[in-house]
Amino acid sequence: MREYVRSLVTGSAPGSPAPSERELVHRFGVARMTVRQAMDALVVEGLLERIPGRGTFVARPRRTASRITSYSEEMARRGMLAESQTLLARREQAGPGVARALSLTEGDAVIHWRRLRRADGVPMCIEDAYLNEVLLPGFLQSGMPTSLYDALESRGLRPSWAEDSINADRGNAEECGLLEVEPGSPVLRHSRRAIAGDKVVEVSRTVYRADRFTLWVQLGQDG
Amino acid sequence: MREYVRSLVTGSAPGSPAPSERELVHRFGVARMTVRQAMDALVVEGLLERIPGRGTFVARPRRTASRITSYSEEMARRGMLAESQTLLARREQAGPGVARALSLTEGDAVIHWRRLRRADGVPMCIEDAYLNEVLLPGFLQSGMPTSLYDALESRGLRPSWAEDSINADRGNAEECGLLEVEPGSPVLRHSRRAIAGDKVVEVSRTVYRADRFTLWVQLGQDG
DNA sequence: TAGTGGTCTAGACCACTAT
DNA sequence: TAGTGGTCTAGACCACTAG
């Protein structure tokens, strides 16, 4: 019956009334507490809204804050073709900064994966990803995947939390060369610390061509 | 009794057991459904976690995604003193871009408020805010407030949703002059469309000194 | 086997809204 | 005044976990 109410609700205009609790009691021949519990779940989901004394109504769809997206997902959203070229993929010893960000000890083994990423065939960014080797046994040996986030997901390590920092800068000579822009061109630097459960699964630094990339973020007060 | 359980939970280590439902039934002399409803509220709040067959436990605190913060709040978070200097505050007719962003018609009256904002006495950014005059009657006449978001909040218009875009650029001559940096210095451009309920309450464009400002964003998969 | 949360019953009274 | 959601009672059976 949860599903019955859901089907009534899906496609209904926000604000339109849902069946009253007592009506569903009669229609399904169940107790009112049963109906309430079913509807409660839909209220928590944000599909229904109760107004005491008036009734239960289809809620205005919740706006959803930005999700954690991969480069491929992000470019797909922009209608662009994402391609990546691995510049470097090897085992390294964590330096102080990477160790701290990955919650490791300096010198611990990490995977360093550097890629030049294109959109519609034109350079878009250079990404340096650092991964905790302990969480990804055999990662380097098994051939690099197309999508890091898909690879993490298949191991149950899809990040559910990310701490990003973003600033503007000028690209250095190497960066500008790879990105195919004039030396000193403006770039957007994006650092990410991505967490799955309690584990830091990815630390990355990405440098975007400022002329090709604008970051979009949606923030909600509710969630 | 909701408050009793909340008080037990607040300060308890995540993972520690909460009283069982039947124990609370005996302790308070109420029906079990009553206990469940009280605990349900705490589960929805994220304070408790149920594990069928095992019990109810104090949940690991939810990570909360970035909230919508004002400049003053943001600088306070960084431990810096925020100051603002109004460069311009007047009624204008909305141009095509601002009209679209504010969900108005071109030529409608908007308030344009330009401020140079300092942190610890040094220029940090220039913000151009555009406000729907219809939502803020007498705003210009009543003297500009210290904080736009406080002023919006006092009118019940605290934004609960924001659509931001961020990119890197070089500052133009005027911007660099006001920001007291070399002409052509890198800047971070931040645009915001802030919404309260159904109404667009603020559209702004801010240009930050890249050498002083890094944007921090936290993203969650849950909310 | 004892204890837990998940679900359900068949009522009840309350405060509130709309007519 | 009729209808709504909010809260509550005093039970019940189930599936699951743990010792």
Side-chain angles (χ1 to χ4, degrees):
Chain A
M1 91 147 234
R2 179 133 78 215
E3 293 315 314
Y4 174 77
V5 178
R6 192 196 302 276
S7 72
L8 285 185
V9 157
T10 311
S12 294
S16 57
S20 79
E21 297 177 354
R22 279 148 179 106
E23 183 185 336
L24 291 171
V25 165
H26 291 129
R27 203 184 301 184
F28 288 92
V30 296
R32 200 175 140 217
M33 283 302 294
T34 308
V35 170
R36 280 187 65 77
Q37 288 192 5
M39 295 185 94
D40 273 339
L42 300 176
V43 168
V44 169
E45 265 187 65
L47 283 170
L48 293 179
E49 184 184 7
R50 297 187 201 271
I51 305 182
R54 292 197 50 211
T56 305
F57 302 86
V58 179
R60 172 164 58 78
R62 274 191 205 157
R63 302 179 207 258
T64 64
S66 296
R67 294 170 50 88
I68 300 163
T69 53
S70 67
Y71 177 77
S72 338
E73 289 163 346
E74 193 55 41
M75 289 307 127
R77 178 148 71 117
R78 291 159 196 252
M80 299 178 100
L81 174 67
E83 293 165 297
S84 287
Q85 170 187 351
T86 292
L87 303 177
L88 189 153
R90 67 177 180 209
R91 198 166 170 281
E92 292 181 0
Q93 291 189 307
V98 167
R100 194 176 332 107
L102 278 174
S103 298
L104 296 176
T105 305
E106 207 175 326
D108 282 353
V110 296
I111 296 163
H112 178 185
W113 190 10
R114 166 170 259 225
R115 286 179 283 181
L116 173 64
R117 320 197 80 163
R118 294 167 192 273
D120 288 346
V122 180
M124 175 65 94
C125 65
I126 307 160
E127 179 189 302
D128 283 286
Y130 297 87
L131 311 167
N132 183 344
E133 206 199 24
V134 173
L135 295 177
L136 296 163
F139 188 78
L140 282 169
Q141 285 70 44
S142 60
M144 303 315 275
T146 311
S147 161
L148 169 58
Y149 280 20
D150 285 352
L152 290 172
E153 183 152 31
S154 70
R155 288 167 165 85
L157 294 173
R158 234 277 171 180
S160 61
W161 178 252
E163 298 165 5
D164 291 10
S165 68
I166 299 105
N167 73 333
D169 196 4
R170 281 189 244 262
N172 64 28
E174 184 196 6
E175 290 163 344
C176 291
L178 287 165
L179 292 172
E180 299 173 15
V181 290
E182 292 295 310
S185 292
V187 295
L188 191 77
R189 296 193 186 274
H190 182 183
S191 299
R192 167 162 291 179
R193 189 162 176 259
I195 291 162
D198 290 338
K199 305 182 184 72
V200 184
V201 294
E202 175 210 6
V203 162
S204 61
R205 299 186 191 125
T206 306
V207 48
Y208 289 90
R209 274 175 64 160
D211 63 338
R212 299 203 76 206
F213 186 74
T214 294
L215 183 67
W216 300 326
V217 179
Q218 276 106 49
L219 300 176
Q221 212 69 296
D222 10 86
Chain B
M1 93 148 232
R2 177 133 80 214
E3 293 314 315
Y4 174 79
V5 178
R6 192 196 302 276
S7 72
L8 284 185
V9 156
T10 310
S12 294
S16 57
S20 79
E21 297 177 355
R22 281 149 179 105
E23 184 185 337
L24 290 171
V25 165
H26 290 126
R27 202 184 299 183
F28 287 91
V30 296
R32 197 171 145 226
M33 283 303 293
T34 309
V35 170
R36 279 186 65 77
Q37 287 192 4
M39 296 186 92
D40 273 340
L42 300 175
V43 168
V44 169
E45 265 187 64
L47 286 169
L48 293 178
E49 184 182 8
R50 297 187 203 271
I51 306 183
R54 292 198 48 213
T56 304
F57 302 87
V58 179
R60 169 164 60 78
R62 274 190 205 158
R63 302 179 206 259
T64 64
S66 297
R67 293 172 48 88
I68 300 163
T69 53
S70 67
Y71 177 76
S72 339
E73 288 164 348
E74 193 55 40
M75 290 306 125
R77 177 149 72 119
R78 292 159 196 250
M80 299 177 101
L81 175 67
E83 294 166 298
S84 286
Q85 171 188 349
T86 292
L87 302 177
L88 189 154
R90 67 177 180 207
R91 196 165 172 283
E92 293 182 357
Q93 291 189 306
V98 167
R100 197 177 327 109
L102 278 174
S103 298
L104 296 175
T105 304
E106 206 175 326
D108 282 353
V110 295
I111 296 162
H112 178 186
W113 190 8
R114 166 171 260 223
R115 286 180 284 180
L116 173 64
R117 321 198 80 163
R118 294 168 192 274
D120 288 346
V122 181
M124 175 64 95
C125 66
I126 307 159
E127 179 190 303
D128 283 284
Y130 297 87
L131 311 166
N132 183 345
E133 206 198 25
V134 174
L135 296 177
L136 296 163
F139 187 79
L140 282 168
Q141 284 70 43
S142 60
M144 302 316 276
T146 311
S147 161
L148 169 58
Y149 280 21
D150 285 352
L152 290 172
E153 184 153 30
S154 70
R155 289 170 165 83
L157 294 173
R158 234 276 172 183
S160 61
W161 177 253
E163 298 166 3
D164 291 8
S165 68
I166 299 105
N167 73 333
D169 196 5
R170 282 190 243 261
N172 65 30
E174 182 194 7
E175 290 163 344
C176 291
L178 287 164
L179 291 173
E180 299 173 17
V181 291
E182 292 296 309
S185 291
V187 295
L188 191 77
R189 297 192 187 274
H190 181 181
S191 299
R192 168 162 289 181
R193 189 161 176 257
I195 292 163
D198 289 338
K199 305 182 185 72
V200 184
V201 293
E202 176 210 5
V203 163
S204 63
R205 300 186 190 123
T206 306
V207 49
Y208 289 90
R209 272 174 63 159
D211 63 339
R212 300 202 77 206
F213 185 74
T214 293
L215 182 68
W216 300 326
V217 179
Q218 277 107 49
L219 300 176
Q221 213 69 294
D222 11 87

